[in-house]
Amino acid sequence: MGMDRNTVIGFALLAVLFIGYFYYTKQGQLALEKDRQHVQDSINRLKPKTDSIVAKTDSAKKDSTVKQISSAFQQDSVTNIEQLTTLENEVLKITFTNKGGQPKTVELKKFKTFDDKPLILEDGSFNKISYSINTGVNQTAQTSDLFFKAQQNSSSPNSQHNISFILQNADGRIIEHQYSLSDSGYMLDFDIKLNGSDKLFTQNKINLTWQAQAPQLEKDIKREIQQSHISYVKDGDYDFENFRQGSTNDKKFDKPVDWLTLNQQFFATAILAKNKFESADVQWTVSSDTNTTHIIAQTTANLKINIPSGTAASIPLQLFYGPSDYKILKSYGNQMHNIVPLGSGIFAFVKYINRGFIMPVFNYMSSKIASFGLVIALLTIIIRLLISPLTYQSYVSGAKMKLLKPEIDALKTKYGDDKQTFGMEQMKLFKTAGVNPLGGCIPALLQIPIFFALYNFFNSNIALRGQSFWWAKDLSSYDSIYNLPFNIPLYGSHISLFTIFAVVTSLLISLYGMSNMQDTGNPVMKYMPFIFPVILLGVFNTQPAALTWYYTVSNAITLIIQFVIQKYIINHEKILAQLEANKKKPAVKSKWQERIQAMQANNQKLQTMKQKTNKGKK
């Protein structure tokens, strides 16, 4: 690919878009310094207390708060004992507590953390599902403070997947939390069944509080925060809110809400209402010291639910604990697949490239080929083959541009500072040789949507998580051949070898282009080709190894194509002979050129008449 002035402009535009895109995404994690003290106070208020897991079902805890609860739901010394019960299927292991009748810990059995520990998606006292009930005259209590009675039907063939927690009083008022887990899914059905709801709740509504905490699960916690967000479907439309490190943010929904999700880079925790939440508000906090807390975010949602009329009512909810896997989430048919960030904001259109082409091709090849590094290389080749008809002519034009460089230099010497005439003669030369002066921009501009599609794909594709290739232990994170004992601003504290390969190959492409680029005398244009590789060095060092490996392969293909076209496709002697022959032919003027020359002649004639008139007046 030759690099004339327009090629340089193309790469400059690509660099500007890269910078703009990464600035746009990085805003989701920048701390607001002026609010730091307020934020830290919020974090301290929401910080969970250390909570150890009870290992046996007969372990006991006394809770002094239950002594203050009215006798309507009496908690005696026998029932005031925390008991843990486990539901388990092929992919989930959920431990429930009778205190509040809610999940206490959730383990994803098919996954491990970045340091090969069991992946516990929910744990600790911060996580909670609770709502207020009337316990007497002007008295209320939170269900999370009450001890339910666990019931598990051992005679049922699916008893290991079902459990109920019941709270009952002498007046016949009953609250039942019924949980049901399928054999192999990540969705937990959660039904709240009520008897005597007219006395239990004010205005026949449940004000439910859902608290969820996202622990660090990936190697680079800052990267994990950048790729995490709050997602929701409000009034049937999907949307999301990015996290800002060291800040507290909130969102209020006045319209019905289908579900809310605390979405980490590769995993999600969600609460869903089959009949929608009437309204909701959610607040999330991201610590400014995540390296110490190892917590991505804490979120608290207040959800209003309408209770069906009648003394007996059932409210169907669901809880999701699982991977942000597009195929799995798509199967639920509730827009949850949108939480996988395949393209958003000003680059939202690239999600259609991912969903319609990149993802299906990648999934097919990965089902046939064990090495994900080889799959990425083959995907790169396929992409380059598909766009080759559009880029071939630009590569040929670039090769011709190199051949025309002596002719262009001669024109520049001939016309000197007369840039207008030089430009016109240069365009004539390009037309004679069949060179597209804008051809150099095409490859650079064409790669913009493809690159951003792959950027989102490689950052959100859970299939790459934990997959090794050569020295890279995890293709979903950066590869490191050496960890530095210090941090270099805008670079990092490690050396990514795939990043170095990507930068070096980009630099070689730039050096090749420099040999074809005419000297404009502008020092900025002279050094512009080197700016893009330097930007890549800083940006790519923390990117997934899958992305930097793709870019390395793509650059290598570009260099090979340039060499083959220059050496074996472009016939230099034939082009030179054609140029010499064209010089001897009378120039054929286009209608546009004829009109321009006619206008110039007319202007010259008017100028001459004006000069004669002025002389006559004198």
Side-chain angles (χ1 to χ4, degrees), residues 68-107:
Q68 303 172 11
I69 297 174
S70 168
S71 60
F73 288 93
Q74 184 65 43
Q75 305 282 292
D76 56 35
S77 60
V78 177
T79 59
N80 185 15
I81 298 174
E82 184 175 34
Q83 295 179 330
L84 303 182
T85 308
T86 298
L87 293 187
E88 193 169 355
N89 65 7
E90 292 181 1
V91 296
L92 282 179
K93 182 179 180 181
I94 304 177
T95 301
F96 294 85
T97 174
N98 64 325
K99 185 181 179 185
Q102 60 183 320
K104 186 178 181 70
T105 63
V106 178
E107 178 183 349

Side-chain angles (χ1 to χ4, degrees), residues 172-466:
R173 282 179 278 173
I174 299 174
I175 297 175
E176 180 180 359
H177 291 177
Q178 191 177 84
Y179 297 95
S180 179
L181 190 63
S182 64
D183 291 337
S184 60
Y186 292 96
M187 192 73 78
L188 176 68
D189 287 323
F190 169 33
D191 293 334
I192 300 177
K193 295 183 178 296
L194 305 169
N195 193 334
S197 59
D198 54 330
K199 298 179 181 179
L200 290 171
F201 301 97
T202 305
Q203 297 181 343
N204 223 33
K205 296 181 186 296
I206 292 180
N207 294 315
L208 186 143
T209 298
W210 176 66
Q211 291 186 178
Q213 177 174 277
Q216 178 184 0
L217 301 175
E218 312 305 329
K219 176 172 62 175
D220 188 347
I221 191 170
K222 290 186 177 180
R223 186 87 188 145
E224 191 174 2
I225 292 172
Q226 183 180 339
Q227 297 298 119
S228 302
H229 50 270
I230 292 289
S231 303
Y232 51 88
V233 165
K234 177 192 67 174
D235 200 25
D237 295 325
Y238 170 79
D239 209 342
F240 70 98
E241 297 286 340
N242 285 320
F243 290 151
R244 293 174 180 263
Q245 188 170 359
S247 69
T248 296
N249 293 280
D250 58 80
K251 187 81 175 178
K252 185 176 179 62
F253 308 97
D254 295 324
K255 295 182 178 180
V257 176
D258 292 53
W259 47 259
L260 283 171
T261 301
L262 175 56
N263 190 48
Q264 296 179 236
Q265 183 174 6
F266 294 118
F267 301 95
T269 302
I271 185 167
L272 307 90
K274 292 183 179 180
N275 297 326
K276 302 181 184 296
F277 300 108
E278 180 189 20
S279 62
D281 63 79
V282 59
Q283 182 186 71
W284 59 94
T285 298
V286 183
S287 172
S288 59
D289 188 17
T290 51
N291 290 325
T292 300
T293 62
H294 300 289
I295 300 297
I296 299 298
Q298 292 177 329
T299 182
T300 299
N302 298 306
L303 310 163
K304 288 189 177 182
I305 308 172
N306 284 322
I307 301 174
S309 59
T311 56
S314 179
I315 300 170
L317 305 174
Q318 289 179 307
L319 299 169
F320 175 83
Y321 306 102
S324 295
D325 185 295
Y326 185 86
K327 184 177 180 180
I328 292 173
L329 296 171
K330 182 76 172 178
S331 67
Y332 297 126
N334 57 8
Q335 297 196 59
M336 283 192 69
H337 61 278
N338 285 311
I339 72 174
V340 182
L342 296 174
S344 61
I346 59 175
F347 297 96
F349 68 94
V350 302
K351 67 184 177 185
Y352 300 109
I353 300 176
N354 279 320
R355 294 175 181 178
F357 173 71
I358 292 176
M359 186 180 296
V361 173
F362 180 90
N363 290 342
Y364 175 78
M365 290 194 300
S366 60
S367 68
K368 305 295 182 182
I369 303 172
S371 171
F372 278 77
L374 181 57
V375 169
I376 294 170
L378 292 175
L379 177 65
T380 309
I381 294 172
I382 291 172
I383 291 173
R384 295 305 300 266
L385 286 174
L386 288 176
I387 66 176
S388 60
L390 299 175
T391 57
Y392 173 76
Q393 289 300 326
S394 65
Y395 284 129
V396 173
S397 295
K400 289 181 178 180
M401 191 75 71
K402 183 176 182 179
L403 188 63
L404 293 176
K405 190 173 185 298
E407 297 278 343
I408 295 174
D409 290 341
L411 289 175
K412 187 175 182 180
T413 302
K414 180 178 179 180
Y415 294 105
D417 295 333
D418 189 354
K419 294 182 179 181
Q420 183 176 0
T421 304
F422 167 74
M424 293 179 63
E425 293 299 320
Q426 183 180 233
M427 290 301 295
K428 289 180 183 178
L429 181 62
F430 289 161
K431 183 179 179 181
T432 302
V435 174
N436 180 5
L438 299 177
C441 293
I442 295 175
L445 297 178
L446 192 61
Q447 290 184 52
I448 293 174
I450 296 174
F451 172 82
F452 286 127
L454 290 167
Y455 170 84
N456 286 279
F457 178 73
F458 290 136
N459 272 285
S460 61
N461 187 3
I462 194 171
L464 294 169
R465 190 176 183 271

Side-chain angles (χ1 to χ4, degrees), residues 107-165:
E107 178 183 349
L108 273 57
K109 297 164 63 175
K110 298 292 185 180
F111 299 93
K112 299 289 184 181
T113 61
F114 70 95
D115 49 358
D116 203 35
K117 294 179 180 179
L119 197 151
I120 308 298
L121 191 59
E122 181 171 300
D123 190 12
S125 61
F126 184 83
N127 300 283
K128 181 172 66 174
I129 298 173
S130 183
Y131 50 92
S132 177
I133 60 173
N134 297 325
T135 58
V137 179
N138 297 325
Q139 289 184 323
T140 61
Q142 287 289 327
T143 57
S144 59
D145 293 329
L146 302 178
F147 288 86
F148 289 62
K149 182 179 180 181
Q151 288 187 352
Q152 205 165 10
N153 187 358
S154 58
S155 62
S156 171
N158 294 320
S159 60
Q160 70 273 27
H161 300 330
N162 297 277
I163 190 172
S164 293
F165 294 92

Side-chain angles (χ1 to χ4, degrees), residues 472-526:
K473 296 180 180 179
D474 185 353
L475 284 171
S476 70
S477 183
Y478 60 80
D479 63 297
S480 177
I481 58 170
Y482 183 73
N483 293 324
L484 301 172
F486 50 85
N487 183 72
I488 300 176
L490 304 179
Y491 179 73
S493 58
H494 66 274
I495 298 176
S496 166
L497 188 55
F498 277 138
T499 296
I500 292 176
F501 284 162
V503 170
V504 169
T505 50
S506 294
L507 186 59
L508 290 175
I509 293 172
S510 296
L511 291 174
Y512 177 85
M514 281 289 291
S515 64
N516 303 331
M517 186 173 68
Q518 65 190 59
D519 185 9
T520 63
N522 188 334
V524 176
M525 295 297 292
K526 183 177 181 181

